[in-house]
Amino acid sequence: VDRVAHLFTRVLPMPLPHNHPQKATQCFWERDMTRETQAEILQSMRMLSWHFAASAMALTTTSAFDAARTLTFGCMAAISDAVLRVQACDVPSALSMHYSGKAAGPVHPFGFELSSDFSTLSETMLFVDPYYAIARTQILEYFTQLNKVLREDHVIFRFDKEMKLGEGDMNLMSQLCVQMGFEHTAHCGSYITGELPELLQSYPELATFRDIVF
């Protein structure tokens, strides 16, 4: 647990906000990457999130540990969001193009909200490492700036509010299904869960991203 927390709060650089003036040149995650690399990063993030969650839930919670656990998941979410928005330099993923709002046509970017409780609850968390305070600031800045450009009907995976398909989820699935020629009118939820495997087989990074955000 400590090694994963160290990796995300100290070693891996956090993505810069979308409107940062030097994002294109200074953000580590904005570098050219192939689709294979993009998918591999997201899959590695998924596995780390699974192992970290299982290990963290098996330990006795203290104030300091709760802060480290929360910040680590926040860093995972921010990095995963930034990686999924990258347009691969070889064969761009349709999921990435639609998610980032770069696909052809009148489209808008999608994204997810950081829990509304994160900012409030993290104000009083016990940060025993100064890097935790830095990580909190970077997480809040990244998602605050991102949420300013998201339309209400393009916010996905609102698991903290309700455990059912939202308008943003349906809009993203509809766009992907139209491009792929899949039936989508009544099956959007089944595509996300994998009950209908066609979409996840074409874009396995969708399942990866879903699990990380959850």
Side-chain angles (χ1 to χ4, degrees):
V1 173
D2 185 61
R3 289 184 179 181
V4 176
H6 177 86
L7 173 66
F8 283 96
T9 59
R10 280 177 171 258
V11 180
L12 292 179
M14 284 290 291
L16 296 176
H18 77 94
N19 58 352
H20 192 283
Q22 296 179 314
K23 183 175 179 63
T25 57
Q26 298 298 320
C27 182
F28 177 82
W29 304 104
E30 284 292 307
R31 300 182 181 183
D32 289 343
M33 68 174 69
T34 63
R35 184 176 178 183
E36 178 187 13
T37 300
Q38 182 183 46
E40 194 65 34
I41 291 174
L42 289 171
Q43 178 61 18
S44 296
M45 296 283 291
R46 183 191 200 186
M47 297 302 295
L48 283 170
S49 69
W50 283 357
H51 287 297
F52 185 76
S55 300
M57 295 302 174
L59 299 176
T60 301
T61 301
T62 64
S63 297
F65 178 58
D66 186 52
R69 179 178 61 183
T70 302
L71 290 174
T72 301
F73 279 124
C75 291
M76 289 181 180
I79 293 174
S80 299
D81 180 87
V83 171
L84 188 59
R85 293 183 187 280
V86 173
Q87 182 176 339
C89 60
D90 53 354
V91 183
S93 164
L95 172 61
S96 294
M97 298 299 285
H98 284 283
Y99 184 73
S100 63
K102 299 174 183 175
V107 296
H108 300 276
F110 290 86
F112 63 93
E113 297 175 327
L114 199 65
S115 171
S116 57
D117 295 330
F118 180 85
S119 177
T120 303
L121 293 177
S122 62
E123 286 181 354
T124 56
M125 285 183 174
L126 179 60
F127 297 140
V128 297
D129 188 326
Y131 282 94
Y132 291 171
I134 296 173
R136 175 183 180 271
T137 301
Q138 292 174 322
I139 293 169
L140 289 174
E141 179 66 13
Y142 181 84
F143 284 104
T144 297
Q145 298 304 321
L146 175 61
N147 291 339
K148 288 181 179 179
V149 300
L150 291 181
R151 290 174 30 161
E152 183 67 19
D153 60 354
H154 277 55
V155 179
I156 64 174
F157 299 153
R158 285 179 150 169
F159 300 128
D160 61 317
K161 291 183 171 59
E162 54 184 3
M163 295 299 293
K164 66 179 183 179
L165 203 66
E167 187 177 9
D169 303 315
M170 295 184 65
N171 287 334
L172 178 58
M173 291 302 100
S174 295
Q175 289 182 202
L176 286 173
C177 288
V178 167
Q179 177 160 339
M180 296 296 293
F182 294 156
E183 171 62 39
H184 65 89
T185 306
H187 301 306
C188 290
S190 297
Y191 286 132
I192 291 180
T193 62
E195 294 174 85
L196 292 177
E198 293 87 349
L199 203 59
L200 295 188
Q201 288 174 347
S202 300
Y203 305 106
E205 57 268 34
L206 176 60
T208 299
F209 191 60
R210 175 203 64 201
D211 291 350
I212 293 172
V213 175
F214 179 78

